[in-house]
Amino acid sequence: RRALAAAADVAVGDAARVVVAFAPAPRLQCPLADAARHARGLADALRADAGAVGVVYCSDWAALAVDAAGADAKAIAACHRRYVRAVRALADLYAPGVGARVGAVAQSAVALARPSDYWIDVIAAGRRVRLADAQRAAGQRADDEGARVGAVVAALMRCADVAAACADVVVDDGGAGGALALARTFWAEDDRGGAAAYAPPRVAAAAPPPPLTLDAAAAAAGDENAAFWVGDGPDAAKRKLKKAFCEPGNADANPPLALGAALVESGLVAALAVARAPENGGDARYGAGDLDRLVADVAAARLHPGDLKPAVAAALRESVLAASAAAADYPDAKKDAACLKALAKKLARAKKSS
């Protein structure tokens, strides 16, 4: 606990319950939905426990993190800084004021504060955990001959990470659930006792974030307009929604509709405000009690994509994109942006030459 208190940038008292969110591996484009999921989980937990503190745990030693950023320590730190600020700003949207109770800690900082204990925990996990279980936790098949050793080691390191973070509660982000489940099982079965004794953390299931990915396949292929990313500002709303699929009369496969409804349902905005000429139905407002009517109006083509998209864009600008923009405004922002731009060029050159 003392090591965490010294390494984290938030006050961690001896009696404070620690709620931990494990940041994703650093990357040039980090989905804003990831930050929103962590923010919601932290906000819900901190709102329910006034004495708790939130910690975003940033992996900077695991091979997956190092590889993702081209082994560039400055770029890894820049990615994590941007992500943590986004989580704090978004947490304040869900529960005003809790962002000040959310801090960050680097994996390297807590490991170096108690190096023997940390690596003893990793070794103990390696001895107790079956290889097939570690591979499964890392998202690999047990018979995968091309399995990356680094992914398996990262899963074992997560066992040490939850203890190093003094986690009483961990926000389940879905994507890292395998490694988290492995860590909880390890600590539940650990029988070393003494100084190594640690009760496995409770997992807090975070409510799903707004669907901020408009086209998953296109986003995976590198289309930056197919999703909203950490660092996107209010100007991104109109540009990205303009290209989003939104067929008149289709309420089933309609990303702007799903996003707008989720913003209202989660309380991030009070309502979707539609501005229309009187001959097109006039202005309309859809609050939390009107979401069935919203879907019905889209399905019946009473609400046209040309009217729906501007309403959703306005809701994004006043909520998650305002928080995302605020997160990108800090003293080292320009320096970090230059660092990440240089990394992008380095990775592009490496990809071209391979």
Side-chain angles (χ1 to χ4, degrees), residues 178-202:
L180 177 57
L182 186 76
R184 295 186 74 250
T185 299
F186 166 73
W187 285 109
E189 297 176 351
D190 183 53
D191 56 5
R192 289 173 292 163
Y198 169 68
R202 179 174 65 84

Side-chain angles (χ1 to χ4, degrees), residues 234-272:
D235 61 311
K238 181 179 179 180
R239 181 179 76 253
K240 297 190 176 188
L241 285 173
K242 182 179 180 180
K243 299 183 178 183
F245 179 77
C246 188
E247 184 180 37
N250 184 348
D252 296 321
N254 192 321
L257 170 62
L259 176 52
L263 291 173
V264 174
E265 187 175 20
S266 62
L268 292 175
V269 296
L272 283 184

Side-chain angles (χ1 to χ4, degrees), residues 1 4 18 20 22 55 57 105 110 160-168 198:
R1 182 62 69 108
L4 175 66
V18 180
V20 177
F22 287 100
V55 172
Y57 191 97
V105 68
V110 289
D161 290 336
V162 295
C166 302
D168 296 299
Y198 169 68

Side-chain angles (χ1 to χ4, degrees), residues 34 61 65 71 73 82 91 115 138 142 150 167 182 206 223 264 271 281 284 305 308 314 324 342 350 352:
D34 286 355
W61 266 11
R82 191 169 57 171
L182 186 76
D223 183 355
V264 174
L308 173 63
S324 180
K352 188 175 181 179

Side-chain angles (χ1 to χ4, degrees), residues 19-46:
V19 184
V20 177
F22 287 100
R27 45 190 155 171
L28 293 173
Q29 285 188 320
C30 184
L32 190 57
D34 286 355
R37 181 183 291 106
H38 280 148
R40 178 66 181 272
L42 287 167
D44 288 348
L46 298 182

Side-chain angles (χ1 to χ4, degrees), residues 62-330:
L64 294 183
V66 174
D67 289 351
D72 187 327
K74 290 183 179 179
I76 292 173
C79 288
H80 284 319
R81 266 194 297 272
R82 191 169 57 171
Y83 185 80
V84 171
R85 291 185 66 86
V87 170
R88 283 174 174 155
L90 289 164
D92 273 333
L93 284 181
Y94 287 110
V98 304
R101 293 161 56 198
V102 175
V105 68
Q107 181 183 44
S108 58
V110 289
L112 286 172
R114 47 188 291 276
S116 295
D117 292 335
Y118 183 88
W119 291 112
I120 286 172
D121 288 344
V122 175
I123 293 168
R127 288 174 172 170
R128 178 177 290 276
V129 174
R130 295 173 60 246
L131 176 59
D133 292 338
Q135 285 181 281
R136 193 177 301 111
Q140 299 174 346
R141 299 192 316 273
D143 61 349
D144 185 358
E145 294 181 0
R148 293 178 59 198
V149 174
V152 173
V153 175
L156 298 177
M157 290 173 71
R158 183 53 50 87
C159 296
D161 290 336
V162 295
C166 302
D168 296 299
V169 180
V170 175
V171 177
D172 186 2
D173 59 10
L180 177 57
L182 186 76
R184 295 186 74 250
T185 299
F186 166 73
W187 285 109
E189 297 176 351
D190 183 53
D191 56 5
R192 289 173 292 163
Y198 169 68
R202 179 174 65 84
V203 177
L212 292 162
T213 298
L214 303 171
D215 185 329
D223 183 355
E224 75 96 18
N225 286 315
F228 292 96
W229 311 97
V230 169
D232 276 351
D235 61 311
K238 181 179 179 180
R239 181 179 76 253
K240 297 190 176 188
L241 285 173
K242 182 179 180 180
K243 299 183 178 183
F245 179 77
C246 188
E247 184 180 37
N250 184 348
D252 296 321
N254 192 321
L257 170 62
L259 176 52
L263 291 173
V264 174
E265 187 175 20
S266 62
L268 292 175
V269 296
L272 283 184
V274 176
R276 293 181 297 198
E279 59 270 25
N280 293 328
D283 295 347
R285 187 176 175 85
Y286 299 93
D290 307 311
L291 296 182
D292 289 341
R293 179 167 61 89
L294 170 64
V295 173
D297 285 353
V298 171
R302 290 188 293 268
L303 181 55
H304 191 271
D307 299 315
L308 173 63
K309 285 186 176 182
V312 177
L316 282 168
R317 286 194 293 269
E318 74 173 78
S319 59
V320 293
L321 292 184
S324 180
D329 182 16
Y330 57 98

